[in-house]
């Protein structure tokens, strides 16, 4: 039932699909079979390498799959520990568990909401194998500090850049700095293939190992048909998905600019309110996948009230990730005071390519209205 009084729905994200993506997808569906069944996949991987400035890419069926493959390629397994931030989506931790290794959660920095390098250093044990740097909501981890720690202790530094396409650290794109990087093209991300992901690396040996793993353990130099040399994985992206990805890659600068335009309007209109937004330190660029407000700790802030205001105005509300250590499958870490306090004071704001200034202003008035009613 449509009601003239109901304001139009504001989604928290939605993909930007144009005639270009539709044309490529139609072409893939019409012609992309038989000997042409990898054409869009190959092209997509090349485009992604060029965009990121890396040598190798393997398109996957999800970001989770890309992480799983990469960590398996590094030989992470039972007895190993991987350090990551407590505030995260479960997808970053799950592949560690699937491999029989242990995710070691540490607290985050109050301004970037990403790994605290000092906490990482304190969590290192003889079992530590890798540090997983997740660039949360587009915000960058302190890659210089993490790189130094990894080097000093002989650890792998992995980047989960699923939320950070468009983010740049001192001239290097997120996802291109670690031993490998993983991206997601889920429908909520800045660029999408419906579902999908990609593994990227500059490391030849790791690339070959992951390529074999990604093909059910069949090495590409193997002459025998159907001859796996080990147990591998099946996380492939289809040519149809890659066709949409090729269109998105041609428009990637525009897609990132869209996220930045929305963030900047939020930043300008929320300027006088007691909130911190996604940071953008000197010599970095934030891809601003998800504009987020964090109420200052001395501000009375009730996020349920903001969510109610959103609901009343037909706006999707999305809570900041819970600290993983508050979920039932992890050990509680009440000492992670930054993670605990952030999560209660923060909320993600809607952002999608076609979002109008009027829609942004509707969101802002809900956020500021909810604040006014309790102060
Ligand atoms: C979306 C996301 C993933 C998982 O990607 P899928 O494509 O959904 O598997 C992993 N890590 C982070 C940080 C994400 O935001």
């Amino acid at each position: 039932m449509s009601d003239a009084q109901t304001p139009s729905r504001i989604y928290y994200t939605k993909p930007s699909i144009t005639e270009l993506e539709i044309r490529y997808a139609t072409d893939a569906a019409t012609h992309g079979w038989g000997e042409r069944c990898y054409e869009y996949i190959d092209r997509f991987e090349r485009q992604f390498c060029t965009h990121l400035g890396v040598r190798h890419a393997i398109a996957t069926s999800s970001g989770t799959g890309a992480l799983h493959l990469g960590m398996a390629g590094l030989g992470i397994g039972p007895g190993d520990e991987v350090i990551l931030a407590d505030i995260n989506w479960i997808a970053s931790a799950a592949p560690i568990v699937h491999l029989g290794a242990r995710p070691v959660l540490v607290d985050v920095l109050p301004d970037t909401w990403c790994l605290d390098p000092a906490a990482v250093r304190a969590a290192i044990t003889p079992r530590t194998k890798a540090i997983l740097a997740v660039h949360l909501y587009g915000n960058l981890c302190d890659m210089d500090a993490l790189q130094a720690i990894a080097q000093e202790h002989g650890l792998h530094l992995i980047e989960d850049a699923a939320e950070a396409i468009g983010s740049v650290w001192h001239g290097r794109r997120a996802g291109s700095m670690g031993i490998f990087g993983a991206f997601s093209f889920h429908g909520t991300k800045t660029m999408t293939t419906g579902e999908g992901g990609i593994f990227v690396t500059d490391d030849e040996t790791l690339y070959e190992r992951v390529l074999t793993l990604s093909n059910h353990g069949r090495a590409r130099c193997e002459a025998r048909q159907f001859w796996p040399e080990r147990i591998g994985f099946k996380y492939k992206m289809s040519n149809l998905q890659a066709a949409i990805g090729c269109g998105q890659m041609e428009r990637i600068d525009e897609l990132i600019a869209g996220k930045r335009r929305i963030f900047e309007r939020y930043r300008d209109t929320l300027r006088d309110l007691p909130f911190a937004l996604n940071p953008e330190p000197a010599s970095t660029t934030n891809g601003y996948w998800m504009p987020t407000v964090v109420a200052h700790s001395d501000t009375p802030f009730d996020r349920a009230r903001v969510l109610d205001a959103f609901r009343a105005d037909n706006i999707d509300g999305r809570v900041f990730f819970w600290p993983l250590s508050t979920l039932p499958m992890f050990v509680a870490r009440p000492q992670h005071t930054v993670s605990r306090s952030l999560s209660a004071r923060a909320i993600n704001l809607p952002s999608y390519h076609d979002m109008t200034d009027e829609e942004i202003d509707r969101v802002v008035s809900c956020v500021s209205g909810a604040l006014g009613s309790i102060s």
Side-chain angles (χ1 to χ4, degrees):
M1 230 174 28
S2 104
D3 176 353
Q5 297 307 306
T6 305
S8 63
R9 169 129 178 235
I10 298 179
Y11 297 85
Y12 77 87
T13 58
K14 72 185 164 193
S16 167
I17 301 297
T18 64
E19 286 302 319
L20 182 68
E21 288 85 351
I22 294 168
R23 180 151 52 82
Y24 288 165
T26 305
D27 180 58
T30 313
H31 305 292
W33 309 104
E35 62 200 10
R36 300 185 58 184
C37 73
Y38 297 117
E39 275 181 9
Y40 278 107
I41 298 173
D42 293 342
R43 179 165 148 195
F44 178 61
E45 289 174 346
R46 281 197 307 273
Q47 280 176 300
F48 205 84
C49 283
T50 304
H51 169 76
L52 215 64
V54 294
R55 298 169 63 151
H56 302 293
I58 301 172
T60 56
S61 53
S62 69
T64 310
L67 280 171
H68 197 176
L69 277 173
M71 291 193 221
L74 289 175
I76 291 171
D80 295 334
E81 294 177 351
V82 177
I83 299 172
L84 75 161
D86 197 345
I87 293 200
N88 258 315
W89 175 227
I90 191 69
S92 304
I96 303 169
V97 178
H98 291 324
L99 289 167
R102 196 167 80 85
V104 174
L105 305 174
V106 302
D107 211 355
V108 299
L109 292 171
D111 51 347
T112 64
W113 325 327
C114 290
L115 275 176
D116 177 349
V120 170
R121 198 181 280 280
I124 293 171
T125 75
R127 295 171 183 273
T128 309
K129 193 84 182 253
I131 301 166
L132 178 58
V134 185
H135 305 298
L136 204 73
Y137 302 133
N139 301 358
L140 287 150
C141 295
D142 183 339
M143 291 305 286
D144 292 350
L146 295 178
Q147 206 99 52
I149 296 169
Q151 215 145 31
E152 192 180 318
H153 294 270
L155 307 174
H156 297 300
L157 178 59
I158 303 167
E159 284 183 279
D160 179 345
E163 304 180 359
I165 199 157
S167 296
V168 184
W169 174 265
H170 301 268
R172 299 183 68 185
R173 290 194 175 275
S176 72
M177 295 171 275
I179 178 73
F180 78 82
F183 289 82
S184 165
F185 309 123
H186 180 255
T188 54
K189 302 288 156 76
T190 298
M191 67 156 281
T192 190
T193 58
E195 293 278 0
I198 204 162
F199 160 91
V200 296
T201 188
D202 276 329
D203 187 291
E204 294 295 330
T205 316
L206 181 62
Y207 171 65
E208 288 298 334
R209 220 177 293 139
V210 171
L211 198 60
T212 300
L213 282 173
S214 75
N215 197 20
H216 265 319
R218 291 177 290 178
R220 62 169 156 182
C221 55
E222 175 58 59
R224 287 166 290 190
Q225 277 189 309
F226 304 119
W227 189 266
E229 64 186 32
R230 53 175 300 172
I231 293 291
F233 298 88
K234 185 66 193 297
Y235 285 136
K236 293 196 180 191
M237 177 181 281
S238 76
N239 202 53
L240 287 163
Q241 292 166 301
I244 293 177
C246 286
Q248 296 268 284
M249 280 315 290
E250 285 181 34
R251 298 178 52 231
I252 191 64
D253 291 339
E254 174 201 337
L255 294 174
I256 295 164
K259 285 288 186 181
R260 291 187 56 85
R261 170 188 69 84
I262 293 162
F263 179 85
E264 280 158 15
R265 186 167 181 93
Y266 277 131
R267 188 196 54 203
D268 293 347
T269 49
L270 289 162
R271 192 189 302 275
D272 297 327
L273 296 175
F275 292 114
L277 278 79
N278 311 52
E280 190 175 59
S283 306
T284 69
T285 304
N286 194 320
Y288 294 132
W289 170 57
M290 191 138 285
T292 299
V293 288
V294 179
H296 294 161
S297 50
D298 57 356
T299 301
F301 177 77
D302 182 353
R303 78 173 177 187
R305 215 180 264 247
V306 181
L307 291 172
D308 286 345
F310 277 0
R311 209 168 297 122
D313 199 29
N314 208 16
I315 298 169
D316 287 353
R318 187 185 136 119
V319 302
F320 203 81
F321 292 129
W322 306 96
L324 293 174
S325 69
T326 62
L327 303 178
M329 54 285 202
F330 293 99
V331 176
R333 304 266 176 220
Q335 66 272 34
H336 293 175
T337 51
V338 181
S339 299
R340 294 244 170 160
S341 128
L342 267 177
S343 159
R345 290 184 285 121
I347 194 158
N348 301 132
L349 306 181
S351 64
Y352 47 87
H353 199 73
D354 304 327
M355 199 172 178
T356 63
D357 286 352
E358 291 67 35
E359 288 171 325
I360 296 172
D361 295 346
R362 269 173 60 196
V363 174
V364 166
S365 64
C366 287
V367 173
S368 57
L371 197 64
S373 60
I374 46 173
S375 53

